[in-house]
Amino acid sequence: RLHRIIRDIPKPVIAAVNGVAVGGGHVLHVLCDLSLAAEHARFGQSGPRVGSFDAGFGTAYLARVVGEKRARQIWFLLDLYDAATAERWGLVNEVVPADQLLDKALEWGRKMASYSPTALRFLKHSFNADSDHMAGLSHLAFDGLELFTHSAEGMEGAQAFADKRPPDFSPYR
């Protein structure tokens, strides 16, 4: 539901990443209309490492943002990427020093707040219209993930994470 809220709220949503945006946090910043990153920020995915996935907006929309090959690289290799790489790939709009992150986010917010709210609303709806069908994928993905997390394979990933040990997915290959 948070994914839909970010997309449906009639005002632009700004993500200000001041640390690590991995897993669900990574998907959330991608769904925001604009993303700022502190120079030390890191980005990536972790799902398959812990027996999880996001087959909705977290994959399909990410592919639109960074391209198919990059999105697959992010999800299949599970590496962390620095802020400069994230900016180069189009994951973030701008990288700033950490002590300027909040000020920059507020500056952008104030700037947009001075514009016509109706125009911003229609612009946001227009940007989202082309990818709104992904909401159906997202519902399917979350329903599938809910079933998967109750499977032996899904529980192994979660338990290994809790135990701070590598998961043993070998029985499921």
Side-chain angles (χ1 to χ4, degrees), residues 53-160:
F53 55 86
D54 183 335
F57 282 117
T59 51
Y61 187 68
L62 177 65
R64 289 201 176 188
V65 172
V66 299
E68 281 282 331
K69 291 292 186 178
R70 291 284 187 212
R72 290 170 189 259
Q73 179 179 350
I74 290 167
W75 274 100
F76 293 159
L77 298 181
L78 306 178
D79 294 327
L80 285 179
Y81 303 97
D82 62 24
T85 301
E87 183 179 29
R88 191 173 73 249
W89 288 0
L91 273 172
V92 300
N93 299 93
E94 190 172 331
V95 176
V96 298
D99 63 347
Q100 296 174 22
L101 183 65
L102 182 57
D103 289 339
K104 179 59 92 170
L106 290 170
E107 174 189 325
W108 283 8
R110 286 184 191 106
K111 186 174 189 176
M112 288 184 289
S114 74
Y115 302 152
S116 163
T118 302
L120 290 174
R121 170 184 279 180
F122 276 93
L123 285 168
K124 182 162 178 170
H125 289 321
S126 180
F127 280 119
N128 288 348
D130 185 49
S131 57
D132 269 348
H133 67 282
M134 291 178 192
L137 292 173
S138 188
H139 291 301
L140 176 67
F142 279 106
D143 287 347
L145 182 58
E146 184 177 342
L147 290 172
F148 175 73
T149 58
H150 297 292
S151 72
E153 181 181 351
M155 288 190 285
E156 166 58 17
Q159 189 60 54

Side-chain angles (χ1 to χ4, degrees), residues 3-11 124-125 128 132:
H3 294 181
R4 288 299 331 164
I5 291 169
I6 290 171
R7 287 179 59 87
D8 290 345
I9 192 167
K11 299 177 184 327
K124 182 162 178 170
H125 289 321
N128 288 348
D132 269 348

